[in-house]
Amino acid sequence: MPQTPPSPSQHTAGRQMRHERTEGDLQHCLLCDRNSGGLCNRIGRDGLEALASSSRRLVLPPGSTMVEEGQAAESFFNITRGTVKLFKSLPDGRRQITGFADPGQFLGLSRAGLYAFGAETVDTVHVCRFQRPQFEALLNDLPHLKRNLLTAITDRLAEAQEQMLLLGRKTAREKVASFLLGRTQTEQPPSDDTPPDPTPVASVPMTRVDIADYLGLTIETVSRTISALRREKLITSTENHCIRILSPDALRQIATGQTAG
Amino acid sequence: MPQTPPSPSQHTAGRQMRHERTEGDLQHCLLCDRNSGGLCNRIGRDGLEALASSSRRLVLPPGSTMVEEGQAAESFFNITRGTVKLFKSLPDGRRQITGFADPGQFLGLSRAGLYAFGAETVDTVHVCRFQRPQFEALLNDLPHLKRNLLTAITDRLAEAQEQMLLLGRKTAREKVASFLLGRTQTEQPPSDDTPPDPTPVASVPMTRVDIADYLGLTIETVSRTISALRREKLITSTENHCIRILSPDALRQIATGQTAG
DNA sequence: CGAAGATTTGACACGGTTCAAAACGTGTGG
DNA sequence: CCACACGTTTTGAACCGTGTCAAATCTTCG
């Protein structure tokens, strides 16, 4: 497992010898706690301190292997920045990406002590890493953590079911439309004063290969389909790895198969 | 929700007025506890009594709707006999079966209080039904139950990932081979004296339509593929809804794509 | 026995893959 | 800053696995 040295960034003050890292991590956890949807919600100051002292923050460059299928599950991660791809593979190299994990999501549950999937960073990724035994202990000590984890897994399972519907029953066009819509929700700060953007932007940091392996298509079909949607003025490319959705309603219709074309 | 009267079977003795049903259910739970893999494992006599008194056993005929997508999640089920299909649908009727739940599995987790999927019985199904508030209370009172549930969901998620690999990247032949192999593990009593059957039997209580909707194929392709495997003497039909696997190794090779044909 | 549903088989069509090549970006060194 | 090279994306043309449509056969059960 590749492992970059912990980033020395954000050293503002506080130079106590042994508490420096922990204090920084606690600050980070307090921040993380405020963003809803994560594991660390509502577990109290004591819980956050326990989490902070038994986790380690890491920054991983793009393309890092975080988890390999079949390996002993030694770490548990909470993603705070960037995107991770989870996948399963066949012996001949065919690959299915089973999901993209964005900030706020966990990573590293194991079946019988082994990872059942592989995981690689898509871009630069920040994580909190826990050693498994310590995380298990935290689970037992913090009922809210256990409950948050249960809720989070349930969400992942529901996503997986939705993705099975996509993979088994949708056309290429429906798949791509669904994918683009799905890439718009991520990491939207809940600001009530700003109404939902009428032309949201999809964050697409991954390559065509990854998209294809996620949707059960080839890169050529993905490319052709995106080109077609662009020709039809339903979407438009803005900057790098960003796609603006000009007609969310039309795209939603396509994604759910409620369209003639 | 269809609902048949509780089966009066296994009344051996004991005619105390108010404890009759509960006692029978406790017997059932004790039995259930012995079969590994379920939610009710290792929760102790007190826990089993709590489970027994807050659950109700039901017998559901084939084709019963247990759960409808989008409905309020009021019940939680533990399956003790029979097979249930879980599925998601598109507005135009296309359907994806996301999994079959066999005895020992639970059913009824909700996202934000709503079921994210539909569920129907395949054959005659026996379940323990819990009302949601009571089940939530049990979860808080019985740490082992919570832990068992976490393990069970993790298994379901791993299965879902495997199924995504199948749906997105396998050929029809590989899909059918995987399916048949997957239908052999279910409900094997752990008898150490009997070595694993060299020609295991796949339990296939569901129709071709269900198999097709599970594998992301049409019924015609499923039928053709099974016929081809039979022609090649890799499988053979025995009784109804049972398929004997004559060459598990060959089928495994096919299922994982390690084959030329 | 007869009817209704499920499964199997056949012929053909089509969506998506495969193979090939051009166009586009991106980073590097001169 | 440009030129080059390499990887990624896009586009094109032909092929093929699976879907579609149709009909025959098999099951199930009143």
Side-chain angles (χ1 to χ4, degrees):
Chain A
M1 189 178 310
Q3 180 174 329
T4 60
S7 77
S9 60
Q10 274 133 348
H11 275 210
T12 48
R15 57 161 57 92
Q16 297 89 339
M17 298 273 295
R18 308 194 33 188
H19 291 152
E20 192 175 76
R21 189 183 67 75
T22 299
E23 279 300 314
D25 283 356
L26 178 55
Q27 290 302 321
H28 179 259
C29 279
L30 287 170
L31 204 72
C32 196
D33 183 48
R34 230 159 275 137
N35 303 332
S36 60
L39 290 183
C40 318
N41 287 99
R42 302 193 187 85
I43 60 174
R45 169 114 192 166
D46 288 355
L48 286 176
E49 275 175 9
L51 280 177
S53 66
S54 49
S55 69
R56 189 85 192 269
R57 294 173 62 200
L58 298 179
V59 179
L60 307 170
S64 306
T65 297
M66 294 179 65
V67 154
E68 267 183 289
E69 183 175 348
Q71 271 190 344
E74 292 173 347
S75 299
F76 186 94
F77 303 93
N78 198 20
I79 300 167
T80 56
R81 192 168 159 186
T83 300
V84 176
K85 55 188 174 191
L86 315 187
F87 54 87
K88 300 218 20 145
S89 300
L90 288 169
D92 63 6
R94 278 176 287 174
R95 190 182 64 155
Q96 178 65 40
I97 291 182
T98 59
F100 293 104
D102 290 299
Q105 290 195 221
F106 68 89
L107 170 63
L109 282 183
S110 67
R111 178 139 90 155
L114 303 178
Y115 294 124
F117 54 88
E120 263 184 50
T121 57
V122 170
D123 46 15
T124 298
V125 168
H126 297 226
V127 297
C128 297
R129 185 181 64 184
F130 300 83
Q131 302 299 330
R132 178 154 299 277
Q134 293 169 42
F135 186 75
E136 299 278 349
L138 284 172
L139 274 187
N140 287 330
D141 292 348
L142 304 171
H144 271 294
L145 181 61
K146 213 178 202 174
R147 154 65 49 179
N148 287 342
L149 184 58
L150 207 51
T151 304
I153 303 185
T154 302
D155 284 355
R156 294 293 84 70
L157 192 55
E159 277 180 17
Q161 290 169 337
E162 185 70 38
Q163 190 67 4
M164 286 191 256
L165 176 62
L166 178 148
L167 290 169
R169 289 304 182 207
K170 289 189 181 179
T171 66
R173 188 175 165 87
E174 290 161 359
K175 286 178 177 181
V176 170
S178 303
F179 170 71
L180 291 176
L181 287 170
R183 292 301 307 174
T184 58
Q185 288 106 311
T186 52
E187 203 171 7
Q188 287 214 354
S191 56
D192 292 332
D193 50 351
T194 309
D197 191 341
T199 64
V201 171
S203 153
V204 189
M206 62 291 291
T207 67
R208 291 285 184 273
V209 176
D210 287 342
I211 300 174
D213 282 350
Y214 180 56
L215 300 178
L217 298 171
T218 61
I219 57 173
E220 292 93 333
T221 299
V222 170
S223 182
R224 271 186 261 269
T225 307
I226 290 181
S227 296
L229 293 175
R230 189 164 18 209
R231 259 197 310 280
E232 299 167 40
K233 298 266 193 288
L234 298 176
I235 62 174
T236 186
S237 299
T238 58
E239 339 140 32
N240 230 356
H241 291 297
C242 278
I243 293 178
R244 182 170 291 275
I245 297 175
L246 299 176
S247 182
D249 288 338
L251 217 57
R252 252 185 295 273
Q253 294 273 104
I254 294 171
T256 52
Q258 305 174 358
T259 181
Chain B
M1 188 179 308
Q3 181 174 326
T4 61
S7 75
S9 58
Q10 275 133 350
H11 273 211
T12 48
R15 56 162 58 90
Q16 294 91 340
M17 298 274 295
R18 308 192 34 190
H19 290 151
E20 191 172 78
R21 190 183 67 75
T22 300
E23 281 298 314
D25 284 357
L26 178 55
Q27 291 303 321
H28 181 258
C29 279
L30 287 171
L31 204 72
C32 195
D33 184 47
R34 231 160 272 138
N35 303 333
S36 60
L39 289 184
C40 317
N41 288 98
R42 303 193 187 86
I43 60 175
R45 168 112 192 167
D46 287 355
L48 287 176
E49 276 176 7
L51 280 177
S53 68
S54 50
S55 69
R56 189 85 192 269
R57 295 173 64 201
L58 298 178
V59 178
L60 307 170
S64 307
T65 296
M66 294 178 65
V67 154
E68 266 183 292
E69 184 173 349
Q71 271 190 343
E74 292 174 347
S75 299
F76 186 93
F77 302 93
N78 197 21
I79 301 168
T80 55
R81 191 167 162 187
T83 301
V84 176
K85 56 188 175 192
L86 315 187
F87 54 87
K88 301 219 15 145
S89 300
L90 288 169
D92 63 6
R94 279 176 286 174
R95 189 183 65 156
Q96 178 65 40
I97 291 183
T98 59
F100 294 104
D102 290 299
Q105 289 194 222
F106 68 87
L107 170 64
L109 282 182
S110 67
R111 178 141 89 153
L114 303 178
Y115 293 124
F117 54 88
E120 261 182 51
T121 56
V122 170
D123 46 15
T124 299
V125 168
H126 296 225
V127 298
C128 297
R129 185 180 66 184
F130 300 83
Q131 301 298 331
R132 177 155 299 276
Q134 293 170 42
F135 187 74
E136 299 277 348
L138 285 173
L139 273 186
N140 286 331
D141 293 347
L142 304 172
H144 271 294
L145 181 61
K146 215 178 199 173
R147 155 63 51 179
N148 288 342
L149 184 58
L150 207 51
T151 303
I153 302 184
T154 303
D155 284 354
R156 295 292 84 70
L157 192 54
E159 276 180 16
Q161 289 169 337
E162 184 69 38
Q163 190 68 3
M164 285 190 256
L165 176 61
L166 178 149
L167 289 170
R169 288 306 182 207
K170 289 189 182 180
T171 66
R173 188 176 164 85
E174 292 161 358
K175 286 177 177 181
V176 170
S178 303
F179 169 70
L180 291 175
L181 287 170
R183 291 302 307 176
T184 57
Q185 287 106 312
T186 52
E187 203 172 6
Q188 288 214 352
S191 54
D192 292 331
D193 51 351
T194 309
D197 191 340
T199 63
V201 171
S203 153
V204 189
M206 63 290 291
T207 67
R208 291 285 183 273
V209 176
D210 287 342
I211 299 173
D213 282 352
Y214 180 56
L215 299 178
L217 298 171
T218 59
I219 56 172
E220 293 92 336
T221 298
V222 171
S223 182
R224 271 187 262 270
T225 307
I226 290 181
S227 296
L229 293 176
R230 191 167 9 204
R231 259 196 309 280
E232 299 168 40
K233 298 265 193 290
L234 299 176
I235 61 174
T236 185
S237 299
T238 57
E239 339 141 31
N240 230 357
H241 290 299
C242 276
I243 293 179
R244 181 171 291 276
I245 296 175
L246 299 176
S247 181
D249 289 338
L251 216 58
R252 253 185 295 273
Q253 294 273 105
I254 295 171
T256 53
Q258 304 173 0
T259 182

